[in-house]
Amino acid sequence: MMPSSTRSGAELPAPSTTAVAPAGRRRALSPLLLGLVVAIVVTLGCVALSLAVGTRAIALADVWTALVAPTGTFDDTVVASRIPRTLLAVLVGSALAVSGVVMQGVTRNPLGDPGLLGVNVGAAAAIVTAAWFFGTGSAAASVWVALPGAFVTVVIVYALGSGRRAASPVRLVLAGAVVSAVIAAYIQALSLSRPDVFDSYRYWVVGSLAGREPAVVGEILPFILVGLAFAFLIAPALNTLALGDDTATALGASTGRTRVLGAVATTLLCAASTAAVGPIGFVGLAVPHIVRSFTGSDHRWVMLYSAILGPALVLLADVIARVIVSPAELMVGVVTAFIGAPVLLYAVRRGRGFA
């Protein structure tokens, strides 16, 4: 009997230890999971504001009625007309914020944004070229014109930044700066030489959600979904890449593969967004830093939160742009800078924004 009792006593601590570990992990994850719920609620609130606020203000109760049980009233028509604009803001905000996370992770540059690889300027060059030769100016057509321009620019930047060796963050940033400067001069030469080209380019470059055709949402949706899939696929690898190329390679990570997939994801996300609404700055830079101030530096959490809170920033900026100089509208890119800059400064001063 004694040996049996001893064996029973010896086995008792093992289940207890096993039970404590998951509980500890659950306690560590609970603030982030709770914050995720809060982030979703905040974004849904911004969606409601986007549908309710404008030249004609509509009560939130009437917005809900128009969505779930429309009766054909004028308010229902107004809400329906705002749905494509709201969906476009959600897609663009999520795409720009996630592309910022990827670019900062790939280049290990806390000030990184998609512009470092020349995505925006490549899309702009394609728009101007198409306007010069074919007179392309509509938003829907701009999507298909801007995407190839952005991809070609990124390929050129990678070719110059790699040379005979693997691409490094410093070489990529330098190559991006050189290519962007050359293409910017090309854009100015074309757009200033013909008034009609300048007018077409000016319509696109303002960075606004106003006046975009509803079809644009369907045009950019596949590209953004694929880009988000690539981004979340490499999120764990970005954590390894943050340790440095040598350490990442020693741990079995393929730094070249991660950077290539990161460039593909960034190009898809940013090019589709820029083609649809023009260059809306500051979202890809500010949102990841704001998120890091309360999630830490794990790219999986930063990317998930950024995908949710990026739309909140764009939606809130768009609502403010509609009403601050009503009945006219400000450019949403101007408002994102005014909203994001103070919050980004606060996050950085807390010491965790650049973690």
Side-chain angles (χ1 to χ4, degrees), residues 13 15 26 93 101 158 169-170 182 196 228 231 238 254 263 334 351:
R26 284 196 297 270
V101 175
Y158 251 81
V170 175
V182 173
D196 57 328
L228 290 175
L238 292 178
S254 174
V334 175

Side-chain angles (χ1 to χ4, degrees), residues 303-316:
M303 197 172 291
L304 182 58
Y305 269 88
S306 296
I308 296 172
L309 291 177
L313 175 59
V314 176
L315 285 165
L316 183 60

Side-chain angles (χ1 to χ4, degrees), residues 1 15 37 54 75 77 87 117 122 127 154 169 180 195-196 211 226 228 243 255 299 310:
M1 296 295 295
V37 175
D75 285 349
T77 304
L87 290 176
L117 292 184
I127 294 291
V154 171
S180 296
D196 57 328
V226 174
L228 290 175
L243 302 175
T255 58
H299 284 85

Side-chain angles (χ1 to χ4, degrees), residues 182-339:
V182 173
I183 295 179
Y186 167 80
I187 293 172
Q188 290 181 354
L190 287 187
S191 62
L192 295 179
S193 62
R194 280 176 48 181
D196 57 328
V197 174
F198 179 76
D199 288 341
S200 176
Y201 176 63
R202 182 179 60 181
Y203 164 80
W204 175 83
V205 81
V206 290
S208 174
L209 296 168
R212 270 41 182 185
E213 302 167 13
V216 174
V217 176
E219 298 280 358
I220 68 172
L221 180 60
F223 298 101
I224 290 181
L225 291 179
V226 174
L228 290 175
F230 275 120
F232 280 96
L233 178 66
I234 65 171
L238 292 178
N239 288 335
T240 307
L241 198 63
L243 302 175
D245 285 6
D246 293 338
T247 304
T249 303
L251 294 174
S254 174
T255 58
R257 174 179 173 271
T258 300
R259 287 198 171 96
V260 169
L261 289 178
V264 172
T266 301
T267 304
L268 284 170
L269 293 172
C270 191
S273 302
T274 304
V277 300
I280 297 179
F282 219 81
V283 178
L285 175 63
V287 173
H289 284 305
I290 295 169
V291 168
R292 284 193 191 95
S293 67
F294 54 84
T295 64
S297 57
D298 188 336
H299 284 85
R300 294 169 297 181
W301 285 106
V302 175
M303 197 172 291
L304 182 58
Y305 269 88
S306 296
I308 296 172
L309 291 177
L313 175 59
V314 176
L315 285 165
L316 183 60
D318 186 45
V319 169
I320 295 174
R322 297 181 208 175
V323 300
I324 195 170
V325 291
S326 180
E329 289 191 15
L330 279 180
M331 295 178 292
V332 69
V334 175
V335 184
T336 56
F338 274 103
I339 294 177

Side-chain angles (χ1 to χ4, degrees), residues 108-182:
R108 295 201 298 272
N109 182 356
L111 297 178
D113 68 6
L116 288 180
L117 292 184
V119 177
N120 291 341
V121 74
I127 294 291
V128 171
T129 303
W132 177 277
F133 289 102
F134 308 109
T136 303
S138 69
S142 296
V143 175
W144 297 102
V145 172
L147 280 169
F151 270 106
V152 170
T153 304
V154 171
V155 170
I156 294 173
V157 169
Y158 251 81
L160 294 177
S162 300
R164 297 181 179 179
R165 297 176 292 176
S168 71
V170 175
R171 288 198 297 270
L172 283 177
V173 172
L174 291 176
V178 171
V179 172
S180 296
V182 173

